[in-house]
Amino acid sequence: MDQKGYRRGSFQSSTSDEDMLEIAGASLDFSMADDDPPLDREMGGFSSYNGGGMNGTSTIMDFLEEPLPGVGTYEDFNTIDWVREKSRDRDRHREITSRSKESTWALIHSVSDAFSGWLLMLLIGLLAGSLAGLIDISAHWMTDLKEGVCLAGFWFNHEHCCWKSNTTFMDRDKCPEWMSWSELILGHGEGAFAYILNYFMYVTWALLFSLLAVLLVKGFAPYACGSGIPEIKTILSGFIIRGYLGKWTLIIKTITLVLAVSSGLSLGKEGPLVHVACCCGNILCHLFTKYRKNEAKRREVLSAAAAAGVSVAFGAPIGGVLFSLEEVSYYFPLKTLWRSFFAALVAAFTLRSINPFGNSRLVLFYVEFHMPWHLLELVPFILLGIFGGLWGAFFIRSNIAWCRRRKTTKLGKYPVLEVFVVTAITAVLAFPNEYTRMSTSELISELFNDCGILDSSKLCEYVNDFNSTKGDDLPDRAAGPGVYTAMWQLALALIMKVFITIFTFGMKVPSGLFIPSMAVGAIAGRLLGVAVEQLAYYHHDWAIFSGWCSQGADCITPGLYAMVGAAACLGGVTRMTVSLVVIMFELTGGLEYIVPLMAAAMTSKWVADAIGREGIYDAHIRLNGYPFLEAKEEFSHKTLAMDVMRPRRSDPPLTVITQDSMTVEDVESIINETTYSGYPVVVSRESQRLVGFVLRRDLIISIENARKKQDGIVSTSIIYFTDHSPPLPPSSPSMLKLRSILDLSPFTVTDQTPMEIVVDIFRKLGLRQCLVTHNGKLLGIITKKDVLKHIAQLANQDPDSILFN
């Protein structure tokens, strides 16, 4: 990241208008240090003095005894050094272990340090589960508020309002305690005027909720918009976005997520719940020193928090752990797997205790099927997989094209107007169709549902012949007029959902993609399921049905087709496989349906990958220019390190610092004249033999503190990085020893190293930069940004789209 605005002597960060950045579409100021306390530069009693010069009269300052605050930390929008962070944690652990043998108090400290990770997971699970329960209850109530209000208490949603009512089971949704807006205002609910009034109130509430959401996001927490998963993937890979997981983001995201879901927009709360859980994890990390001070350890916690987020989003703890492993995590050691499992368990238990839906389930669309599936049904299941792959590829291309247009045109300057227009169109189109008017979670629940004798839904209006009923299972029956009406309404709902979701995902409100994708697949699946069911009913003597679907048997379950379709479309958009199948069978409690789900998920991934390699989250990472090095992609080109390193032949020579011959003024002028995040240290400019690597931020803080705290440090003072001070005349000013901030073991490769090995090193070790040598002499440097630009260039993409280092 280019750091401009350092001035000689003071090194104050610039806060000019040039330091604005477009992230996920939100214009943000670099100087925004949300939730990060300023570095405490006032530090006394840290200086130590060594003899220096020829006769010991010159004093030397060494920072080795006690580290300065801020040294070893990172600038915003920079990548962490995984190797250094892991090394620091090992040193800390060794020190605690060696001290634990000295006293009882040190032993207790050692035990508490080992236990702190599990305690942190417990707190994350409790907080994430509680917030998810609050979001579920609030969203359910506010969604119903668009259609009416409960007289027994305005805080009850429609279902809870009618629990105490004495109405029959068939009229359970028409209890006297619940009144639509027309009944409340006009005194009756029938007629054209009542319909228009209800329509008006529905659209008004939807606009009110969405406008409130976008204004809160814009005014208080610009990072609270969108899904959050692309940014979390990038953060887990080692990138720093200050404030993205801060307390303001958590508060605003929680409130606006309820508002956005309640507004009826085509979005879900599941993706943003992962962001909410990661915010909880990041904030709670500040309670424990080992996580607060180590960026790599903190990312292990965030991986577990992501698992807890999916656990409460779908009521799928094991699916959550696998989602974190498969989709979002960059570094996932075995210890993190166990802790993720524990965090997901606690979060699911907490949500189950709150019981937000009043049905002892963790999700609204939990369903159980009892009929087995037949081998021949794999054909329609694979067809649904193909549809899911095609829809996923179409959605990704269309949505990325729209988001790119939003970023590059005036459209991005009017986020409130955009949300207003999309909400108005959605609400006006949604109200006339009962399947788009209801919340998307309720729609999925209805589509997954297997029709029983008492079901009053249009989807279950079959022609009944009770003479052939065997036990609880209803045979396949002829579709009645209600089913045909439901079919064309669902077809219209499918068309609307397919197109409106493209424009909704990426707006300046919290917006998840899981639920809209599942809704598209569930509608397509239910339509196909009913078609196959009617085909089997009217043509049970056909060869394909005769062996297993006799007349009067219950052989086709349309709800199962909806479930398989939902999995296929979600897989097509996100390219999840293992975690997706586990989430779906945890949702439905049906272990016997794993094979259909696997077939659909795998087919949708193959079809979508054949059209475009990236999932929706990877596509958004590339759109925003984040430095994310995808671990799943193979590097197959025959290039060498010398082809990628800087400086190139036409560039000026590499900027270096010598180990013992440059003054404070020389180093300050290098910092002012360049924008690099670090500098190689060499023996001398002539020899170019490598000594180590020093970070720009560490240099700035160390020189600034030396000028303030140490007498005799002036512009002509020599800076040296060696163990012993260089010989100088007695009259020379004090020297400044900075060996403690020097990385003496930077990663190096030779200029003939194949780039596939270099890319592997960057991926597996999480490097920021790698130095290139030839016969032991320094030739150049390769940064993570250079690697990403090289990969983009070879893929015929714009290398300048990589914005950060």
Side-chain angles (χ1 to χ4, degrees), residues 686-690 772-780:
E686 293 75 33
S687 75
Q688 288 289 309
R689 276 181 49 217
L690 184 65
V772 184
T773 60
H774 177 74
N775 293 341
K777 290 186 177 182
L778 180 67
L779 265 194

Side-chain angles (χ1 to χ4, degrees), residues 214-340:
V214 71
L215 290 170
L216 283 170
V217 166
K218 192 181 174 195
F220 295 97
Y223 284 148
C225 68
S227 154
I229 293 178
E231 283 75 18
I232 285 163
K233 277 188 80 165
T234 313
I235 288 169
L236 289 179
S237 77
F239 194 54
I240 290 179
I241 309 177
R242 299 230 183 274
Y244 197 83
L245 301 175
K247 58 181 178 291
W248 269 112
T249 306
L250 174 64
I251 294 165
I252 298 301
K253 186 117 187 181
T254 305
I255 296 167
T256 54
L257 182 53
V258 174
L259 291 165
V261 170
S262 306
S263 70
L265 284 165
S266 183
L267 47 83
K269 61 180 185 299
E270 282 64 20
L273 272 174
V274 176
H275 187 184
V276 166
C278 285
C279 286
C280 297
N282 185 57
I283 291 163
L284 291 168
C285 274
H286 288 279
L287 301 176
F288 302 89
T289 312
K290 78 171 176 181
Y291 294 108
R292 184 174 69 245
K293 291 190 174 179
N294 193 294
E295 293 287 352
K297 294 294 288 180
R298 191 184 300 190
R299 274 152 182 76
E300 290 178 28
V301 173
L302 296 180
S303 289
V310 175
S311 172
V312 291
F314 289 106
I318 300 168
V321 175
L322 290 173
F323 173 82
S324 181
L325 172 62
E326 181 183 2
E327 192 59 31
V328 295
S329 293
Y330 194 80
Y331 174 68
F332 203 83
L334 198 58
K335 194 197 301 181
T336 305
L337 179 74
W338 299 330
R339 287 182 175 166
S340 301

Side-chain angles (χ1 to χ4, degrees), residues 392-634:
F394 164 74
F395 175 81
I396 291 166
R397 289 201 174 183
S398 309
N399 180 253
I400 291 297
W402 179 251
C403 289
R404 186 172 284 116
R405 186 176 180 80
R406 184 189 287 129
K407 283 171 80 81
T408 55
T409 62
K410 287 185 177 178
L411 182 69
K413 295 178 182 175
Y414 305 104
V416 179
L417 181 64
E418 184 190 7
V419 170
F420 181 88
V421 170
V422 173
T423 308
I425 292 169
T426 306
V428 168
L429 293 176
F431 186 83
N433 186 339
E434 64 176 287
Y435 292 110
T436 48
R437 189 190 317 162
M438 65 174 69
S439 79
T440 318
S441 293
E442 285 175 22
L443 170 63
I444 293 170
S445 177
E446 188 146 323
L447 293 167
F448 281 9
N449 187 37
D450 188 17
C451 288
I453 298 170
L454 297 173
D455 276 313
S456 59
S457 162
K458 270 191 201 172
L459 281 168
C460 296
E461 278 189 30
Y462 288 91
V463 177
N464 284 312
D465 177 13
F466 289 109
N467 296 329
S468 60
T469 302
K470 301 170 187 171
D472 292 334
D473 295 323
L474 289 171
D476 285 347
R477 299 158 288 163
V483 175
Y484 288 115
T485 308
M487 288 300 101
W488 70 258
Q489 285 184 325
L490 281 174
L492 290 174
L494 177 64
I495 294 165
M496 180 191 156
K497 292 275 182 196
V498 161
F499 288 103
I500 207 78
T501 309
I502 291 167
F503 301 101
T504 307
F505 187 68
M507 290 198 309
K508 299 299 170 284
V509 290
S511 53
L513 197 56
F514 284 46
I515 289 294
S517 301
M518 286 175 69
V520 167
I523 295 170
R526 188 79 187 205
L527 291 171
L528 183 63
V530 172
V532 173
E533 180 190 47
Q534 293 306 300
L535 197 66
Y537 176 77
Y538 285 111
H539 302 284
H540 55 82
D541 51 346
W542 282 11
I544 55 170
F545 298 121
S546 58
W548 59 284
C549 196
S550 57
Q551 190 170 11
D554 179 16
C555 40
I556 308 289
T557 309
L560 171 62
Y561 284 72
M563 186 178 87
V564 171
C569 280
L570 187 51
V573 171
T574 61
R575 310 297 159 86
M576 288 156 45
T577 49
V578 182
S579 53
L580 172 64
V581 171
V582 173
I583 286 169
M584 291 305 292
F585 90 71
E586 281 189 273
L587 274 181
T588 54
L591 278 169
E592 66 220 69
Y593 304 116
I594 284 184
V595 173
L597 288 169
M598 287 172 76
M602 214 56 241
T603 308
S604 74
K605 179 172 168 57
W606 284 335
V607 171
D609 278 349
I611 300 169
R613 294 289 296 169
E614 291 177 320
I616 186 69
Y617 302 129
D618 294 330
H620 272 271
I621 285 171
R622 190 160 60 81
L623 179 72
N624 289 320
Y626 298 138
F628 182 75
L629 200 51
E630 180 58 71
K632 299 167 193 167
E633 297 279 322
E634 287 293 322

Side-chain angles (χ1 to χ4, degrees), residues 358-370:
N359 60 358
S360 301
R361 302 293 183 194
L362 298 182
V363 281
L364 195 58
F365 38 86
Y366 185 92
V367 65
E368 286 180 344
F369 303 128
H370 303 291

Side-chain angles (χ1 to χ4, degrees), residues 49-79:
Y49 300 93
N50 297 350
M54 295 300 288
N55 54 10
T57 56
S58 277
T59 53
I60 300 164
M61 179 177 179
D62 185 6
F63 294 101
L64 199 60
E65 296 302 316
E66 192 173 334
L68 290 172
V71 168
T73 58
Y74 303 94
E75 295 281 357
D76 203 0
F77 304 111
N78 262 270
T79 307

